[in-house]
Amino acid sequence: KSETATVLIEELTKPKLNWAVVLFDLHGEYKDINQPKREGDQGLKVKLLTPGDNLKLEVPCLLELDEAKELLTNAVLIADERNPLPDQGIALLRAAYDNLIQNPPVSWKGSRCPPTPDQFFKDLMDKVEYVGGRHGYYSQTIGAVKRRLDIINDPGLWGGILSIKDVVLPGFVTLIDLSKYVTRRLIGSKFDVPGKILFAEFLRRLLKAKIDGEIDAKYVAVVIDEAGEFFPPEGSVLSELGLGMIRQVRKFGIGMVIIAQSPGYVHPDIVKQIKTHIMFKTAGRDLEELKRHVGAEPEVFEDLKTLDDMVAYIYGQATKNTPIKVRVREPVVRHRKFLEMFE
C-alpha cells in the first residue's frame, strides 16, 4: 500500500501535474523518498517537517483571540478523546483564557506572551483555578481542564510558527514525520497526543489557506498512511475533522488518499465518502469489510484472495465503476519496507 502511495506521489509531483503533496508519515517509512533507488534517477523534492524541531505551533497568546481559543479547545478535546471534556469544561477554559489575556501576570513584563510555553500553560492553569472558583464551577470540572492542559503542555508541540503557504509548495512533498510521537512497544503502538494535535491543526490550516488562496499550488494531495490511527472507527474529534475535510476538499482543489489495511479500521462515514478504491490481496475479515463498502462484482472479490504482490484492482469514480486490474510499478525513489526500519 505504501509503495503504491509512493508511486502516486511520484506521478502527482511531476512537472506535468505539479501538485503539492502533504504526506503524514506515522512510522518513518517515507524518510528516504528524496533519494533515488538507482544512480541517474532523481529523488522527490521534499520539505521535511519534524515535530519538536522545525514543526511547532504558536503559543496561543501569539494568535488572534478567536484563533487561540479554537486551537486550545481542539487541543484539550484531542487530549482525551475517550473521555471528552464536557461543555462546561470548554466554557471554563475559554473564560480562563480571556481572563489571562485581559489580566496577564506581572511576570509577562507587559509582553504579549511569557518567556516560555511552559510558563504560559502554568499561568493558564492558575487562571482556570481562579475563574473556576470565582464562578462556582465544580472542582471536578476545574481538575478536568487542568489535567488536559497539563497533557498538551509538551515541549515539542509549542514555540514555533506554522505558516502553510511557506511549507506546501507546487511539485514538493511536505513530509510530516510523526514517528517520534509513536510510543514503540513490543506488540502494538500508540499514537500520542502531540502528534494528533499537529495533524489536526495542519489539516485545519491547510483547508483555510487553500480557500483563502494563500497556496501557490493549484492542486494539493493529502496522503494519510495508517489512516485508522487518525480517523478511528469510533466517534472522535479527529474522525469528525476527517469527515468535514473529505466532504469539502474536492471543491477547493484538495484530494485525499486514505491508506488502511481494511475499511473497518477507518470511520464508516469517511469510508462512504471515498470515491475510488485501490484494493490489494485480501482475505478473511478484511475482505468482508471491502464487500460492505465497495460495490464491485463478486468475481473481483474472489480474485482478491490470490492476487500477486503489487497487483491491484482499481474501482470507483476514476474507472467509471468498472473494475480494472493493474500491476503497480516499483517506486523510483527509496521506500523503507517494514524490516528495513529495524536495521
Side-chain angles (χ1 to χ4, degrees), residues 288-332:
E288 294 306 312
E289 284 290 340
L290 273 179
K291 290 178 180 177
R292 286 179 55 200
H293 296 288
V294 183
E297 291 80 356
E299 294 81 9
V300 171
F301 298 113
E302 280 301 309
D303 202 15
L304 283 176
K305 297 177 184 178
T306 57
L307 287 183
D308 293 334
D309 288 345
M310 298 304 284
V311 174
Y313 273 98
I314 304 177
Y315 177 86
Q317 191 176 74
T319 64
K320 297 183 179 179
N321 294 323
T322 300
I324 297 176
K325 192 175 183 180
V326 300
R327 180 174 295 278
V328 182
R329 67 165 173 81
E330 286 287 323
V332 175

Side-chain angles (χ1 to χ4, degrees), residues 156-204:
L157 184 55
W158 309 98
I161 296 174
L162 176 55
S163 173
I164 297 296
K165 66 180 181 180
D166 294 332
V167 296
V168 177
L169 307 169
F172 276 76
V173 181
T174 305
L175 174 56
I176 302 175
D177 178 16
L178 293 171
S179 59
K180 71 169 289 185
Y181 280 129
V182 176
T183 305
R184 299 190 185 281
R185 301 174 180 170
L186 184 62
I187 300 176
S189 63
K190 180 183 177 183
F191 188 32
D192 209 354
V193 167
K196 289 181 178 180
I197 293 171
L198 285 168
F199 170 77
E201 187 63 13
F202 198 100
L203 278 190
R204 190 182 70 80

